Amino acid sequence: MVPFTLNGTQHLLSYKNGDGTAALDRINTDGSLASVWRDGWTDGWTSMVPFTLNGTQHLLSYKNGDGTAALDRIN
């Protein structure tokens, strides 16, 4: 799970390594989650780090098993 801020609001990216299920939820002020997006990714991602580049949120992901890396912009 990776928390990050998007457009001034806290979000949570969740990922299930075993089946590749990914979800993006907004964290409400009361601590509840509101679904923003859900989809399937390839399985095996082992590390994810959010960061901001030029004012835009990005995600750097890595698969330890085969060395694959991905850099994604989060809209």
Side-chain angles (χ1 to χ4, degrees):
M1 292 191 283
V2 178
F4 63 93
T5 302
L6 182 63
N7 299 325
T9 305
Q10 283 296 117
H11 286 75
L12 180 66
L13 176 64
S14 303
Y15 170 75
K16 291 182 182 178
N17 185 354
D19 67 7
T21 302
L24 178 64
D25 296 295
R26 183 181 61 247
I27 303 174
N28 297 318
T29 55
D30 66 359
S32 63
L33 298 177
S35 179
V36 174
W37 170 88
R38 290 202 176 350
D39 204 351
W41 287 354
T42 58
D43 62 351
W45 296 102
T46 52
S47 301
M48 296 180 183
V49 178
F51 66 98
T52 303
L53 178 64
N54 296 325
T56 304
Q57 190 67 45
H58 289 75
L59 182 69
L60 178 61
S61 305
Y62 177 74
K63 286 185 178 185
N64 188 37
D66 66 8
T68 300
L71 177 62
D72 297 292
R73 180 172 39 99
I74 302 173
N75 296 329

